[in-house]
Amino acid sequence: MTWQVIDTTPADQVEPATMHMDQPIGELLRDWRRRRGLTQLDLALQTEVSARHVSFVETGRTIPSRSMVLRLAEQLDVPLRARNRMLLAAGYAPIYPERPLDDPDLGKAHEALQRILRGHEPYPAMALDHRWNLLLANDAMNVFLDDVDPALLESPVNMMRLGLHPDGFAPRVRNLAQVRGFLLPRLARQVARAGDPGLSALYEELLTYGDDGEAPLPDPADIALPVRITHRGDELCFFSTITTFGAAFDITLEGVAVEAYFPADDETTRLVGNR
């Protein structure tokens, strides 16, 4: 493997910026409900409780049971770390562990990720954390990592930054305006949904890299966004898929995603296969 595990997850940087460690459970619940665009009645119907009960929890008149905290958090799709915070605010012990990906207890997950990445060769694949920081990559990822500013390869290596930075591999992306026009709105939606100040800062940083003009409309013949990149004198074209753990109960695993690149044309298949 070209890259190994990088621990890039500060414990206090994933909840909405409006949330503070001393917030009571009612305020936390209200913040997440509003972030999801739900009324108290909406949330009550989804969790099969009364709107009055939701109101009493939010105003502090009622302290919900441990099971109710988890039930509400599940309906609001609250990240696991934030669920721990809600449990603590309600007076209960957190239940979701958080360990580095190379922790022995996550050995099976680490091995599974390595198998996925190795098995995808000769095509590029990588594992990312919830902030787009590189955790693992196969050797074929050199297509993207070659010839970039070494400073951008210092830990933590952020693939959003590496892809759009003028000193990253952005100068080698032939359809940069199209890629940028896809990635920035995607990151903006992620910021709005998760409220992670680290992601928000990354988004603001990427906006300073310049505007490549209006992104061209997608080709109806494309099945996904193509990434056209030059490497060692050749132009390669890939599309990508993202895989996540479907039912993660560990904070680290919840944020891990595998992005795998596939050749989008026969010429790329031939060129990559011969490298």
Side-chain angles (χ1 to χ4, degrees), residues 87-167:
L87 286 167
L88 285 169
Y92 307 109
I95 65 172
Y96 299 104
E98 179 179 17
R99 296 154 292 192
L101 191 56
D102 58 355
D103 185 282
D105 288 340
L106 294 181
K108 289 184 178 180
H110 190 196
E111 181 180 352
L113 288 171
Q114 288 182 317
R115 287 179 181 273
I116 291 171
L117 300 185
R118 285 196 300 264
H120 194 64
E121 292 176 345
Y123 307 122
M126 58 185 171
L128 305 164
D129 72 7
H130 68 290
R131 286 184 176 167
W132 299 90
N133 292 316
L134 185 62
L135 299 174
L136 297 167
N138 65 13
D139 291 337
M141 276 301 297
N142 284 330
V143 166
F144 296 98
L145 303 179
D146 279 355
D147 301 323
V148 302
D149 186 341
L152 294 174
L153 296 179
E154 294 179 3
S155 176
V157 179
N158 187 275
M159 293 305 296
M160 278 280 193
R161 179 181 295 115
L162 199 64
L164 299 179
H165 196 287
D167 296 327

Side-chain angles (χ1 to χ4, degrees), residues 4 13 57 60 71 76 84 91 128 146 150 152-153 157 161 172 178 188-190 209 222 235 261:
Q4 291 299 316
Q13 296 293 308
V57 172
R71 189 170 167 185
L76 292 170
N84 277 347
L128 305 164
D146 279 355
L152 294 174
L153 296 179
V157 179
R161 179 181 295 115
R172 294 193 288 118
Q178 188 179 28
R189 291 191 297 270
Q190 188 178 356
Y209 293 167
D222 290 330
E235 181 174 329
Y261 290 84

Side-chain angles (χ1 to χ4, degrees), residues 120 124-126 186 223-224 239-243 257-262:
H120 194 64
M126 58 185 171
R186 176 181 180 179
I223 62 171
F239 69 90
S240 68
T241 63
I242 293 181
T243 303
V258 173
E259 185 158 10
Y261 290 84
F262 296 83

